[in-house]
Amino acid sequence: MPCERKPMRYGHSEGHTDVCFDDEGKCIVTCGSDGDVRIWESLDDDDPKSINVGEKVYSVALKNGKLVTAVSNNTVQIHTFPEGDPDGILTRFTTNANHVTFNNSGSRVAAGSSDFIVKIVEVVDSSQQKTLRGHDAPVLSVALDTSDEFLASSSCDGSVTVWSIESQTQVAQWKILQKSSDVSNAKSLCRLAWQPHSGKLLAVPVDLTVQLYDRNTWTHVSTLCDDLITQVVNVVVWSPCGKFLAAGTVGGNLLIWDVEAKLCIERQKHEKGFTVCGMAWHPSGGRIAYTDTEGCLGLLEGVSSSSPSSSSTVQSTKATAAKEKNDYDDLFDEDDDRMLDEGMSDSRSPVKKPVMEEDDDDDDLMPATGRPRNRGSFLDDDDNSQDPGSVKLDGVPEEDGSSAILPAVGPAVSRPIYEGPMPTQPQRAFQAGSTPVHLMHRFMVWNSVGIVRGYNDDQDNAIDVEFHDTAIHHAMHLTNTLGHTMADLSQEAVLLACEGTDELASKIQCLHFSCWDTHKDWIVDLPKGEDVCALCLGQGWAAVATSALMVRLFSIGGVQKEIFSLPGAVVCMAGHGEQLLIMYHRGTGFDGDQALGIQLLQLGSKRRQVIHGEPLPLSRKSYLAWMGFSAEGTPCCIDSEGVVRMLNRTLRNTWTPVCNTRDSCKSKSDHYWVVGVHENPQQLRCIPCKGSRFPPTLPRPAVAVLPFNLPYCQTTTEKGQMEEQYWRSMLFHNHYGFLSSSGYEIDSEGQSQAEKEQQELLMKMFALSCKLEREFRCVELAEMMTHSVVTLAIRYASRSRRMALAQRLSELALEKANQFQEEELEEEEPAYQRGSRQMSTRQAQVENGCEEEEEEDYLQEEQMDAEESTETRKQSLNPFKKGGKSPERPSPKPMSREGRVNPFKVSGAGKPSSSSAGQSRTTNVLDSMTMSSRKPTPLGGTSKQGKAPVLKPLAPKPKSKTQATLLQMSASKGNRKKLEDSQTEAEKVKPAPAATPPASVENIENRKLKTGFQLWLEDNRKSILADNPDFEEMDVIKQGMGRFRTLSAEERLNWTERAKGDSDPKKRKREDEGQVNDQMESDEGSAKKKKPLDTSAKLSAFAFNKE
């Protein structure tokens, strides 16, 4: 009995559903947990009539124009059919009714409820009721026999009970079910069914089988089962003739038995394996409708309505007996070819004979005949397939009595059985942004340019083209005389195509509405036997993929261009600008997975293949649902599970999941139909579809916008949220680089704004890591920062009193500056180099101004003390800066008439960042802490690194001796070595400035440059050591800093004034200039002397201006 399983239709929201036919079989009636009853004229009905009867509907029955429903408000309601008008309440329960059914004549309705009660109500007079009490748990289902004498009910108490309607007493009871506390917890709905006409047998689903009980003796007479059943049977239904029995299981299996022969003659599988909870046999017997717990409706077509004749069964039995003495293989020799050629079902095998109930399915998997079983009867179909192909070789299921033959099977059983992964049916080619072809009113394409609708009904066969921007072109109405089924739309043309027929070839038609001449369209016929499978438009070109595994390129004016072959059948195509994206089958998928490959071609002046057939990643057991480009030209794809992926060009063309539309769906039956992707702003434009995968054409669907969200871990935490935001920003702004390299103009302002946002996120993560004391993580984050933001991070670390972190960041900043300068020296001439550095200096000033505002948010809890406030008002140097060109000068000294610049000083509004030599300046012991005499850390082990100024890496400008020295270090290896040697000798002679107060002659310079804190520390060192004898030098300094900060602002200012009075600034300036000039002459030569004359322009990049 070969039958065809139609694709499922979404009918209701997820939850329990039920289904039935009307008396004539013209309509399918379904109900669901959304409270609606829908009347379908056919499975393809796109606009079924909907009747809302309550909040939830648990069961539906239809007879003689009366529609009865079990509703969640504890009532059994009745409506007229097909009008759907309310016709009163039939009966009420204290809880909801779980199942309702009519008797054979339609005069009575039986209902079972969760309050353990079964009621039988007269339809004409609802006051005539009979109540059956005796169950100890909710009632699962009820069934009235054909003679209205008995009623059978199943319950969660584990029993199946037969009642006498007249006496309202129990006639028989079988404890054969698993007990449960409620219907929602029951293993099975246990839908009972009486055999039509005679009512001789009662079918009861029990675990993995269906048991048949005789009406006369109430004894178990037979069991129907099959090896395909792996989960409990949920519902059973008889054919109108009473000779076949169909069953649906929790695992989604659909089986049909010939009850007389006890043979399983049909096996089908739910396309997604969902639980079958409702089944109905068409009155004519040719179809079976079924529903699942996800709200879907399905149909089995071509189901036989008559049983195999008893004569054929007898003949089969005689043939078997006559040949028992011969070899077993000879039994099938003359039938094998006939069976394979004619495609007959397994039920007609001549070896079948009715047998006893024992050994029901012993042979189900034995390859007795060696021929393939009916493919559709056992393969697990995936969501997009109906016939995955015959890989599993299996024999005819010898359901019953085959044990009489089996002893002679011996040698034939040794043939191996394939038990590996099953192949997946390849998905068909489709046009992105289109709805199914079989619809009369459908979207042929919906993209970022416009909408193309197709109409094919009795009144009209036409195509409407509508543009989102009417400035491109006005709307068009086209007569579809050629029967086009595929379309694409761009800002230049409309491309249409139709498949070929026996008489006509497949045609391509292009309406080039942007053409400047009078001939706007052209048509091309493909060779006979070659059909168009997919098409797309680009900038000045059109592409068509055909059934001959070829791609044909055309100019937009109709000139044929290149032709090339594809490795497999095309699935989808998309075009954008000069890019052509092709998806095709690169092989056979298994276990529901599709094996798709992707090609990305550049069709501009420099033609090349960007992606060479790499596999396309999809979710497990899913298929490709949409493919195209973002508005900025980045390839994107969406699978049937709602996962949106975008091509990451910076990671060697890998695919990154950026959104899951299922997260935004309210129910499992809802979907989003994608029409466009935008990277700036970050928007996924799609249409919400309630209970379906695609929208109707009328009324015009509304477009919703979904946000992107990368599936990073722990996005509920602040750290996870910022990480997701940063990498999403990085991914969605990669198109700037691609567009720039392709010669397109880009929004430089938007690009700079995006980079600023990324650096702000990095700084926020840096601040969070500092608070969490994750200093190693801080350095990792700093490696992703720009020069200016690294300097800001150094400042934050210093204010947070994390001096070790600040030291490592300063070394990292120096490395970044060296790399930047080396790249500049290699790429640019010195004259242009100076100009570019001045430009970058101005940019750095702007960046620092913006970052200074952002920093206030990061450092709200980090307040500067009174001394720093005083020093700021006096335009003092940043106490955390490592000034000078070597460790010999830990304190900054004026290097020109304008003086040295504090890179972290917050100057007043409108004031220049440089300070004059006459202005008061103070230094801090923190200047020398970074050059402590302790053992150097791994990152600060060399003398070169030990002297690294914090401010150097930020602005590589040749405006001071410090930067000149840095430039010489990166430009000349020999000079760098000489400088390191001289600095090493200097370090050997002079101790660390942060050590105890010096008494040797070598420390005279240090004594001259002592700060107020250093003077205070000299006087209070003994008291600190007395209180803490175990302190080391760094501990003494830290303790001293804490005590010094507790002093009043006036006291600290007094100490600072005393420190200034101990030195002569003018004399120090002259000495510094002489020493620096001598050093520069010995290391660099006269050619480099003029660079450090003006320090203002150079250090302006480090200044943090505060309005």
Side-chain angles (χ1 to χ4, degrees), residues 46-67:
D46 294 323
D47 189 21
K49 182 176 181 180
S50 182
I51 306 170
N52 185 267
V53 298
E55 185 177 350
K56 288 185 178 181
V57 186
Y58 297 106
S59 181
V60 63
L62 176 60
K63 202 83 169 180
N64 299 336
K66 299 293 184 180
L67 184 67

Side-chain angles (χ1 to χ4, degrees), residues 759-760 762-764 766 785-800 809 813 847-848 850-856 858-859 903-904 950 954 1102 1104:
Q759 296 302 315
E760 288 176 355
L762 285 175
M763 192 61 208
K764 288 180 181 179
F766 179 88
M785 297 178 180
T786 60
H787 296 165
S788 58
V789 182
V790 170
T791 308
L792 184 62
I794 296 173
R795 182 177 183 182
Y796 184 89
S798 301
R799 287 188 173 184
S800 302
L809 293 178
E847 289 178 1
N848 290 340
C850 298
E851 290 158 359
E852 185 68 27
E853 296 175 2
E854 184 66 24
E855 186 199 12
E856 298 301 321
Y858 311 145
L859 307 178
F904 307 112
V950 174
L954 187 65
F1102 302 92
F1104 288 83

Side-chain angles (χ1 to χ4, degrees), residues 175 737 745 976:
K175 296 284 187 178
E745 293 184 1
R976 181 164 62 249

Side-chain angles (χ1 to χ4, degrees), residues 318-338:
K318 291 181 179 179
T320 303
K323 295 191 176 184
E324 252 181 311
K325 297 181 181 180
N326 297 332
D327 184 80
Y328 183 78
D329 292 332
D330 294 339
L331 188 63
F332 303 94
D333 285 345
E334 56 187 275
D335 292 315
D336 278 350
D337 295 336
R338 176 177 61 83

Side-chain angles (χ1 to χ4, degrees), residues 834-1075:
R834 286 193 295 271
S836 65
R837 287 177 180 175
Q838 292 171 0
M839 181 68 69
S840 62
T841 300
R842 290 191 293 271
Q843 293 176 352
Q845 290 174 337
V846 175
E847 289 178 1
N848 290 340
C850 298
E851 290 158 359
E852 185 68 27
E853 296 175 2
E854 184 66 24
E855 186 199 12
E856 298 301 321
D857 296 333
Y858 311 145
L859 307 178
Q860 289 178 0
E861 300 177 0
E862 302 289 338
Q863 299 296 333
M864 298 297 288
D865 58 8
E867 178 192 30
E868 291 170 322
S869 300
T870 303
E871 290 171 350
T872 301
R873 287 193 300 268
K874 293 189 175 186
Q875 299 181 345
S876 62
L877 288 176
N878 179 7
F880 307 107
K881 180 177 70 65
K882 296 166 60 178
K885 65 182 181 63
S886 71
E888 300 166 350
R889 285 165 172 73
S891 300
K893 297 180 177 60
M895 298 298 295
S896 67
R897 289 173 297 181
E898 294 181 358
R900 296 296 303 271
V901 180
N902 173 17
F904 307 112
K905 175 174 63 66
V906 181
S907 60
K911 295 182 180 180
S913 59
S914 61
S915 60
S916 63
Q919 291 174 324
S920 63
R921 61 181 68 244
T922 60
T923 57
N924 194 293
V925 71
L926 297 180
D927 294 343
S928 59
M929 284 177 59
T930 57
M931 295 175 287
S932 174
S933 59
R934 294 183 302 162
K935 293 290 185 180
T937 58
L939 287 178
T942 62
S943 60
K944 171 186 172 182
Q945 293 171 331
K947 73 178 184 58
V950 174
L951 60 90
K952 278 188 178 180
L954 187 65
K957 303 295 178 290
K959 292 293 184 178
S960 71
K961 291 182 171 59
T962 303
Q963 290 298 83
T965 303
L966 182 59
L967 181 60
Q968 294 154 8
M969 290 166 59
S970 60
S972 173
K973 183 175 181 181
N975 291 342
R976 181 164 62 249
K977 183 176 180 182
K978 180 189 299 183
L979 183 59
E980 289 176 357
D981 294 340
S982 62
Q983 292 170 349
T984 303
E985 294 175 0
E987 288 180 348
K988 291 180 180 179
V989 176
K990 297 189 177 184
T996 56
S1000 61
V1001 177
E1002 290 82 2
N1003 291 321
I1004 294 175
E1005 183 67 18
N1006 285 342
R1007 283 201 299 271
K1008 291 182 179 180
L1009 300 178
K1010 282 187 293 190
T1011 65
F1013 172 72
Q1014 287 175 315
L1015 292 178
W1016 179 89
L1017 186 61
E1018 290 178 1
D1019 293 345
N1020 295 273
R1021 179 183 297 275
K1022 292 182 179 180
S1023 62
I1024 295 175
L1025 290 175
D1027 296 339
N1028 304 279
D1030 298 333
F1031 273 12
E1032 296 181 358
E1033 180 62 24
M1034 288 301 297
D1035 297 328
V1036 171
I1037 294 175
K1038 290 180 180 179
Q1039 182 69 18
M1041 289 174 60
R1043 295 187 181 185
F1044 184 76
R1045 288 178 180 273
T1046 60
L1047 300 178
S1048 64
E1050 294 181 358
E1051 291 177 334
R1052 287 193 296 241
L1053 187 59
N1054 291 335
W1055 283 103
T1056 302
E1057 295 295 338
R1058 288 176 56 184
K1060 288 196 301 180
D1062 292 345
S1063 61
D1064 185 0
K1066 294 183 179 180
K1067 180 179 179 182
R1068 188 165 64 243
K1069 174 181 176 181
R1070 288 193 300 271
E1071 293 174 353
D1072 275 356
E1073 288 179 343
Q1075 293 179 5

Side-chain angles (χ1 to χ4, degrees), residues 261-286:
K262 300 177 184 177
L263 301 176
C264 184
I265 57 178
E266 189 63 59
R267 301 172 181 83
Q268 290 289 344
K269 176 76 174 176
H270 188 290
E271 63 186 31
K272 282 202 169 182
F274 294 150
T275 298
V276 177
C277 58
M279 292 186 74
W281 210 306
H282 192 274
S284 67

